[in-house]
Amino acid sequence: MTDLRTSTFPKDFLWGVSTSAYQIEGAVTTDGRGQSVWDTFCATEGKIADGSSGALACDHYHRYPEDVALMRELGVRAYRFSIAWPRIQPDGVGAANRHGLDFYDRLLDSLCEAGIAPVCTLYHWDTPQAIEDTGGWLARDTAARFADYAAILGEAFVDRVRMWIPLNEPTVETLYGYAIGEYAPGRTLLFDALPAAHHQNLAHGLAVGALRSAGAEQVGTANNHSPIWPRTASAADREAATVLDALINGLYADPVLLGSYPESMWPYLPEGHAEDLPTIAAKLDFYGVNYYEPQGVGAPSPGNPLPFDLAPIEGWPLTTNGSPIVPSGLSELLLTMRDRYGAALPPIYLTENGCGGDDRLDAAGGVPDAHRIEFLTAHLDALSSAITAGVDVRGYFVWSLLDNFEWSKGYGPRFGLVHVDYSSQVRTPKDSYRWYQSMIRNGR
Ligand code: IFM
């Protein structure tokens, strides 16, 4: 690992932080917001580790001025947040709910006033329940509904949003939400979940068109990507790695960037899917990569209905939540993407990177999180070496500004640069907040 002092970033590099609506906003029944699949999922016994939900979360809906002030003080140049679809269209269809638009109007105005560029994700998994009830992402029609929603947002906010991201991490939603049921909507369809992936891709393409028609200039995407590491060099493990790589990485990036699906995915996609590829491959201005860790894989054990076994990544330090810390996986991923997609790959932004911890207030009222400073330092070094090797990376967003609701893990893992006391809602900047502040100031 090189020393961070050797890692210098360009002057106009876009330093930011990321959050998402359901994880921080709370106020789930306020101002006409409709029910989302996550409200339903959290209310289902046994789905969330600590039995919690995003009903209050960080109460950002009411406390956003304080959160914007924290970002201003931090010195970030951009803020990536998501809009809650059920605030704008409570049932996912029809006219916009004025109160929902008003909230994001207020947020955008405060960001602009603070000199922070808004990076807007249209959708971070909080599908209106009414849309799920008519098939959710398994239904082709949801892509058309999503395009209507995108048109509403484009028209309302194009004057202030700097960069647009239609869907966050469709891979994760298809696999965790529809294939194995760990996330909302909790379906366990295994490979039969893949039509959801295609419909999300189509929704992405249609939304790009709707946003462009509204005058949006910078439109991209944000996908979670992981290098796939076979457990051994055996042919069987490598073959399993090829399938998992297609599922985790290729299923989204290939159609979006190359206009084709990996061949191994064809049998699971809806009939006629190829006709949608030109829409899905709409030209993008940037590609957002969310990176956390590599994924290990081996040949399937007897009785496994899937063509692979997931395997742990061994021999690396672990975060307090047990995830391997592999900064070199980031440079490996970026170089692989550059080689695979070549000229089809637009400039990259690291739209998420960070680690969970069990961060607590100390006796002096601070929050020491040296583990996060180390994690971020090592990943920025890896990013810097990928840039030096010629990958066009234009910005970096820490996940996350605030500790927040970590989906099925509830409030256990804390990912924030700012500690949140969930009972008093007091925000306390952690040591990593000060570190990132100085990093941004000095560009190195
Ligand atoms: O909290 C999530 C986020 O919603 C999507 N990307 C990964 C983060 C950390 O697990």
Side-chain angles (χ1 to χ4, degrees), residues 136-155:
W137 289 110
L138 294 169
R140 183 180 174 86
D141 189 50
T142 298
R145 300 288 67 77
F146 188 78
D148 294 345
Y149 165 64
I152 293 173
L153 298 186
E155 192 185 322

Side-chain angles (χ1 to χ4, degrees), residues 201-285:
N201 286 342
L202 180 58
H204 159 85
L206 292 172
V208 173
L211 291 168
R212 297 254 189 244
S213 306
E217 282 174 9
Q218 288 285 312
V219 187
T221 185
N223 280 319
N224 188 298
H225 285 285
S226 294
I228 306 299
W229 289 1
R231 187 163 43 192
T232 71
S234 74
D237 285 349
R238 280 189 285 120
E239 156 121 32
T242 307
V243 178
L244 190 64
D245 184 49
L247 197 56
I248 287 190
N249 295 312
L251 186 59
Y252 294 89
D254 282 15
V256 164
L257 294 174
L258 302 177
S260 60
Y261 277 108
E263 206 171 327
S264 57
M265 298 291 114
W266 293 357
Y268 309 107
L269 295 168
E271 221 168 284
H273 65 263
E275 283 154 38
D276 296 326
L277 286 167
T279 306
I280 294 170
K283 189 180 170 312
L284 296 181
D285 304 295

Side-chain angles (χ1 to χ4, degrees), residues 20 23 124-125 168-169 224 290 292 352 399 404 406-407 415:
S20 89
Q23 293 178 274
H124 196 123
W125 308 345
N168 175 71
E169 297 179 1
N224 188 298
N290 296 353
Y292 289 89
E352 281 184 31
W399 182 273
N404 59 50
E406 179 57 16
W407 309 111
F415 277 83

